[in-house]
Amino acid sequence: MSSIRSGWKALTLATALLVAGSAVGDEKPAAEKPTERILQREELASVQEAAASLVRELENLQEQISFEAGDAKQRALFAQVDGALARAVHFQDALKFGVSRATLYQYFDEMDKRLHEVSKGVLEAGSKNANWQRAADRLTMADIGLHYALSQGDISEERQVQMMARQADALVFAAKELQRAAHFAAGTNPKSTLVEPAVAKLVKAAQAFHQATQAGKSRQQLSEDFKTVNQVWEEVLLRVRDLDAKDQAYLLRSAARLDRVHDHLYKLLKIEGKRSSLTVQT
């Protein structure tokens, strides 16, 4: 899963390009300052939940490393993760009603930098360790989830673009997760066998859309690119909706995670019309 972490390296550049592209393509003011209002209680609760998830994933990564921390490089990585955990807990402690969005952005950026360093460290020290890689992937997804929860309600173009770039990363990750689930479910019954080919198309569509976000396209252009994702998603839904939750619980839960990311992007891109969403037989 190194692809999702390598995408982080280009995030700053992609954000800058997308902001410029959006300003030109959408013919909106080049800069809208982020709102300085405090998070409402419901928003704060969502951020608190996402932050708690991130802390758990950091602790899980440390646990994975501690089982094998036999040489200096592994111990150095453990200490690096510990530093990121300290920043995450600091961010978590700041999540009290009345704190400004600007303050939380500052704390998040400090923590986020440490998380990127951890991701790089895992890639270098544990490239052949599947457990570490998996734990680092889950950490990356938790970071993306926290960024989305924290950024909701901020209508500035820069923040919206950041959200799109990260959610595009999440879309690729979730599509690949669903592809693995569909692969292992294939053959358990005729209906599940039909899911994997459709999801394979979705992975390709998600990767193409992710590349589009890196190219600095405007929101309007990205909305056009997202149409392919929507079309393939419709095909996946046709296959998945026929499955029974009692027989394919993991596959359907994986599809539900992808459904949430698709919903986030649908809203961020401001696509008109009702979105096709997942419904599960019970």
Side-chain angles (χ1 to χ4, degrees):
M1 287 297 154
S2 60
S3 60
I4 188 169
R5 293 191 294 279
S6 63
W8 264 351
K9 297 178 182 178
L11 182 59
T12 302
L13 176 60
T15 298
L17 289 171
L18 272 167
V19 169
S22 295
V24 174
D26 297 339
E27 298 183 351
K28 292 181 178 180
E32 296 175 342
K33 292 184 178 180
T35 176
E36 291 297 325
R37 69 174 177 80
I38 65 173
L39 298 181
Q40 299 304 303
R41 294 191 184 278
E42 184 176 340
E43 295 172 324
L44 183 62
S46 178
V47 177
Q48 287 171 331
E49 182 179 356
S53 177
L54 178 65
V55 168
R56 285 195 299 271
E57 295 302 342
L58 276 165
E59 291 175 336
N60 179 59
L61 178 56
Q62 278 193 294
E63 182 179 306
Q64 294 289 344
I65 296 170
S66 68
F67 275 109
E68 304 175 38
D71 60 35
K73 183 177 286 188
Q74 291 169 337
R75 291 183 181 276
L77 180 59
F78 182 89
Q80 189 178 44
V81 180
D82 206 49
L85 177 60
R87 299 310 306 173
V89 171
H90 177 65
F91 175 85
Q92 195 175 32
D93 289 343
L95 294 174
K96 297 179 175 61
F97 186 71
V99 65
S100 72
R101 189 184 291 274
T103 297
L104 291 179
Y105 282 175
Q106 177 185 342
Y107 290 166
F108 177 88
D109 289 343
E110 293 170 356
M111 175 191 66
D112 193 53
K113 181 180 178 181
R114 295 291 188 95
L115 293 175
H116 292 189
E117 292 170 355
V118 164
S119 178
K120 181 180 178 181
V122 171
L123 195 61
E124 293 175 349
S127 59
K128 297 181 180 179
N129 191 312
N131 290 332
W132 292 11
Q133 296 296 323
R134 177 60 181 163
D137 287 338
R138 291 178 63 88
L139 175 61
T140 299
M141 288 302 295
D143 183 45
I144 293 173
L146 177 55
H147 182 273
Y148 185 83
L150 178 61
S151 302
Q152 286 197 89
D154 187 335
I155 62 173
S156 67
E157 190 65 33
E158 180 179 5
R159 203 70 185 181
Q160 291 281 304
V161 163
Q162 286 183 15
M163 293 167 75
M164 276 189 274
R166 294 196 184 219
Q167 289 300 306
D169 273 343
L171 183 70
V172 173
F173 182 87
K176 289 183 176 180
E177 287 283 281
L178 182 57
Q179 186 178 33
R180 272 191 294 276
H183 175 73
F184 280 95
T188 55
N189 64 56
K191 290 181 179 180
S192 65
T193 302
L194 298 174
V195 176
E196 187 177 8
V199 177
K201 295 179 185 178
L202 182 60
V203 170
K204 292 182 179 179
Q207 290 172 330
F209 177 75
H210 176 264
Q211 290 175 356
T213 66
Q214 306 299 303
K217 293 185 177 183
S218 69
R219 191 195 303 267
Q220 183 178 1
Q221 291 171 320
L222 289 175
S223 296
E224 288 296 315
D225 291 333
F226 199 68
K227 287 181 178 179
T228 302
V229 175
N230 281 331
Q231 290 170 357
V232 183
W233 177 235
E234 291 274 5
E235 184 178 345
V236 172
L237 288 176
L238 287 174
R239 307 301 184 189
V240 172
R241 284 169 178 162
D242 286 338
L243 301 179
D244 192 322
K246 296 188 290 295
D247 299 326
Q248 299 290 345
Y250 180 75
L251 191 154
L252 288 170
R253 289 175 67 85
S254 181
R257 287 190 288 271
L258 195 149
D259 186 56
R260 286 193 292 273
V261 177
H262 183 270
D263 181 55
H264 293 167
L265 283 166
Y266 202 88
K267 292 174 179 176
L268 287 168
L269 292 166
K270 300 180 180 179
I271 297 175
E272 296 181 357
K274 186 177 180 180
R275 185 183 74 90
S276 295
S277 58
L278 178 67
T279 54
V280 178
Q281 294 184 25
T282 56

